[in-house]
């Protein structure tokens, strides 16, 4: 079962899992704080934080530095959590670019010690809520992910769901109401110290440049605890749509509702608008719409669904091309073998996500990548200009790059759709 798949063995014993399956008295869990500060849980949390790496927080302590003194750090953290004296430090806010856009996305970076405590809290809370999460959500859940969400959308489209409510929650992670979120936690958790710990993370100061302020809403993207909290807050929406007979597919704050008729889509949009408003959130007025898939395309999780084709969303394609350009500069002094090995790491990962796309997407990208490499080889021979069709293709045919080990997106797609 889902909650068993994510249950951390350092916390969830077989006896606790059995109680979870059978249901605890009143459906509410008490006395959980001791599970948070248990040495085995803090050690497991540290291992996950270290494996995820990440930047230092406001205290400038790196993951490597923390891990070097982990035994002493965890002894201190365990004592503070046990005594109730632990307080999170401020969250360092940075902005990262959105691919293909001039906008930037805010990212919150807690200190490493706070990431460890948050991971320990997630280990305790995740199975309790995962047990009852709706099957229509796919983000940050065990044995679920973007590929399963995309497969579900394809299944519904193939079944004749022609209209899509393409909804966009405006600044969702920055606008989750703290009070309502804590109320949803209290439905299943009655340990006041754990609830207070979660609240302290929500109200931790935000440090941006030299300015610090206390947030009144939101769960910062980048915090270990935020994905779970975001799912807890939106689960009632998942349940509401399912109870209304509507086919919603949600990944974190990104969701679509697929409908058979325009009237059903209008009803779905009305229900979403009412729920969002009642729960202190906002739909983006310019990005929320109803799409007739026989006449228009819509984007979801990096893909563009265009009638019977699955394309790459332009922003996602721009991000890949930017990465490829950075690895295939004509002034790059590395050997061709090194460049191709570096390039392959990017291409293999990218294909793993976008393998559901239309075949021509891959053949066109393969051709573009080879032209980049031919231009690089031209430069090394003292030839001017970029590679074009003609002599360069004779000099360095496609087979040449295959012999050099260049990953072919088209061939990988062929193996994906026609596995042996």
């Amino acid at each position: 079962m889902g909650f068993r798949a994510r249950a951390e063995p350092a916390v969830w014993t077989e006896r606790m899992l059995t109680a979870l399956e059978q249901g605890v008295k009143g459906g509410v869990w008490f006395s959980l704080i001791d599970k948070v500060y248990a040495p085995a849980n803090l050690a497991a949390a540290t291992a996950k934080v270290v494996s995820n790496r990440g930047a230092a927080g406001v205290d400038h302590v790196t993951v490597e530095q923390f891990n070097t003194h982990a035994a002493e750090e965890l002894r201190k953290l365990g004592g503070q959590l046990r005594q109730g004296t632990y307080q999170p430090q401020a969250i360092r806010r940075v902005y990262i670019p959105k691919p293909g856009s001039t906008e930037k996305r805010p990212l919150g970076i807690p200190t490493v010690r706070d990431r460890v405590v948050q991971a320990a809290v997630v280990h305790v809370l995740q199975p309790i809520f995962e047990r009852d999460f709706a099957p229509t959500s796919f983000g940050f859940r065990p044995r679920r992910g973007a590929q399963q969400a995309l497969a579900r959308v394809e299944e519904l489209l193939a079944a004749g769901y022609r209209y899509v409510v393409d909804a966009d929650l405006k600044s969702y992670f920055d606008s989750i109401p703290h009070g309502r979120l804590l109320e949803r936690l209290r439905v299943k958790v009655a340990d006041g110290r754990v609830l207070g710990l979660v609240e302290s993370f929500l109200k931790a100061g935000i440090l941006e440049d030299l300015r610090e302020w206390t947030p009144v809403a939101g769960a910062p993207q980048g915090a270990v605890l935020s994905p779970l909290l975001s799912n807890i807050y939106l689960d009632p929406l998942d349940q509401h749509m399912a109870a209304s007979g509507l086919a919603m597919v949600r990944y974190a704050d990104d969701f679509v509702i697929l409908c058979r008729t325009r009237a059903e889509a209008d009803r779905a949009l009305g229900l979403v608008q009412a729920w969002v408003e009642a729960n202190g959130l906002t739909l983006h007025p310019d990005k929320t719409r109803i799409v007739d898939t026989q006449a228009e395309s819509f984007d979801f999780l990096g893909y563009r669904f265009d009638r019977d084709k699955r394309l790459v969303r332009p922003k996602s394609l721009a991000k890949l091309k930017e990465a490829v350009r950075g690895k295939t500069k004509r002034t790059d002094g590395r050997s061709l073998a090194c460049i191709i090995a570096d390039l392959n790491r990017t291409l293999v990962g990218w294909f793993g996500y976008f393998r559901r796309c239309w075949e021509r997407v891959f053949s066109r990208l393969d051709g573009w990548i080879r032209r980049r490499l031919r231009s690089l080889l031209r430069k090394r021979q003292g030839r001017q200009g970029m590679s074009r069709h003609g002599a360069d293709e004779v000099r360095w045919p496609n087979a040449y790059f295959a012999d050099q080990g260049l990953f072919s997106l088209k061939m990988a797609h062929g193996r994906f759709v026609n596995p042996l």
Side-chain angles (χ1 to χ4, degrees):
M1 299 180 72
F3 57 85
R4 278 185 173 269
R6 182 66 70 92
E8 171 55 51
V11 175
W12 287 89
T13 63
E14 190 61 34
R15 182 180 63 82
M16 289 176 65
L17 287 169
T18 300
L20 186 60
E21 288 177 329
Q22 296 176 351
V24 294
K25 185 177 180 180
V28 181
W29 287 77
F30 296 83
S31 303
L32 293 173
I33 189 65
D34 60 311
K35 312 298 189 299
V36 173
Y37 62 65
N41 186 24
L42 290 175
T46 300
K48 289 188 178 179
V49 170
V50 170
S51 67
N52 290 334
R53 300 178 65 83
V58 295
D59 61 358
H60 306 294
V61 175
T62 66
V63 169
E64 293 78 12
Q65 290 169 336
F66 183 93
N67 198 38
T68 300
H69 306 285
E72 178 63 17
E73 293 286 356
L74 296 188
R75 187 188 65 77
K76 290 179 182 177
L77 280 177
Q80 290 171 351
L81 289 165
R82 188 182 306 108
Q83 296 161 14
T85 59
Y86 168 84
Q87 284 294 324
Q89 294 174 271
I91 293 172
R92 182 165 68 90
R93 171 165 283 192
V94 297
Y95 290 87
I96 57 175
K98 290 185 178 182
S101 171
T102 57
E103 296 180 31
K104 291 190 175 182
R105 185 190 309 278
L107 186 68
I109 305 175
T111 62
V112 177
R113 68 189 290 275
D114 290 340
R115 299 207 290 269
V116 168
V117 177
Q118 288 190 30
V121 172
V122 169
H123 287 170
V124 173
L125 297 182
Q126 178 101 38
I128 294 173
F129 289 91
E130 177 64 35
R131 176 182 183 273
D132 298 315
F133 276 161
T136 53
S137 71
F138 294 86
F140 311 113
R141 298 186 59 191
R143 297 179 182 174
R144 288 170 169 259
Q147 292 300 322
Q148 288 79 12
L150 292 163
R152 177 58 176 158
V153 170
E154 289 185 333
E155 177 186 346
L156 292 166
L157 290 171
Y161 286 73
R162 169 176 170 175
Y163 294 90
V164 175
V165 177
D166 185 5
D168 185 278
L169 289 171
K170 187 175 181 180
S171 303
Y172 171 63
F173 280 88
D174 282 339
S175 59
I176 302 173
H178 290 169
R180 290 191 177 109
L181 173 58
L182 290 167
E183 286 174 8
R184 279 166 206 183
L185 284 165
R186 291 189 190 99
V187 171
K188 294 179 182 293
V189 175
D191 188 318
R193 291 181 64 185
V194 170
L195 293 170
L197 193 56
V198 172
E199 185 173 12
S200 72
F201 283 121
L202 293 174
K203 297 186 180 304
I206 304 292
L207 183 64
E208 182 178 342
D209 296 326
L210 298 177
R211 185 169 64 98
E212 183 174 350
W213 75 95
T214 301
V216 295
Q221 285 182 276
V224 178
L225 193 55
S226 293
L228 174 60
L229 297 180
S230 72
N231 273 336
I232 290 171
Y233 198 74
L234 286 182
D235 183 64
L237 174 62
D238 301 335
Q239 307 287 358
H240 181 44
M241 292 297 105
S244 301
L246 295 167
M248 186 168 84
V249 181
R250 182 175 68 80
Y251 187 97
D253 60 332
D254 198 356
F255 65 90
V256 289
I257 305 170
L258 290 93
C259 306
R260 293 185 180 275
T261 66
R262 175 70 195 217
E264 186 181 38
D266 288 333
R267 180 174 73 92
L269 180 56
L271 289 173
V272 169
Q273 289 172 328
W275 189 93
V276 165
E277 183 177 350
N279 286 271
L281 303 175
T282 306
L283 285 175
H284 199 298
D286 300 325
K287 297 180 181 179
T288 300
R289 62 196 180 114
I290 293 176
V291 176
D292 178 352
T293 61
Q294 293 187 7
E296 303 172 85
S297 64
F298 69 96
D299 296 343
F300 186 57
L301 299 182
Y303 278 71
R304 172 155 291 179
F305 291 81
D306 188 3
R307 300 186 189 183
D308 61 336
K309 298 184 183 69
R310 305 292 175 260
L311 307 175
V312 184
R313 189 178 69 156
K315 289 182 180 179
S316 303
L317 190 60
K319 184 177 181 180
L320 172 68
K321 288 191 169 185
E322 181 181 352
V324 170
R325 287 189 185 100
K327 295 174 185 287
T328 57
K329 293 179 180 178
R330 291 196 297 160
T331 55
D332 195 320
R334 295 176 298 169
S335 69
L336 183 62
C338 286
I339 291 172
I340 286 177
D342 189 17
L343 196 54
N344 283 350
R345 285 190 286 271
T346 296
L347 297 178
V348 169
W350 189 87
F351 176 78
Y353 187 85
F354 286 102
R355 60 184 182 269
R356 297 177 178 277
C357 281
W358 187 39
E359 180 186 5
R360 288 192 189 177
V361 169
F362 304 115
S363 58
R364 288 169 181 169
L365 276 170
D366 277 344
W368 178 77
I369 292 166
R370 285 191 295 263
R371 285 195 297 277
R372 295 278 312 172
L373 292 172
R374 289 188 183 109
S375 294
L376 183 150
L377 293 172
R378 278 177 64 89
K379 173 76 171 178
R380 291 184 177 182
Q381 290 190 351
R383 299 172 184 271
Q384 299 297 314
M386 301 293 290
S387 177
R388 298 289 185 267
H389 296 295
D392 286 345
E393 291 184 329
V394 175
R395 190 175 295 109
W396 299 293
N398 294 354
Y400 171 80
F401 295 106
D403 290 342
Q404 298 295 314
L406 179 64
F407 181 79
S408 169
L409 296 166
K410 180 180 178 181
M411 290 181 64
H413 182 258
R415 292 191 293 269
F416 170 66
V417 297
N418 294 304
L420 296 177

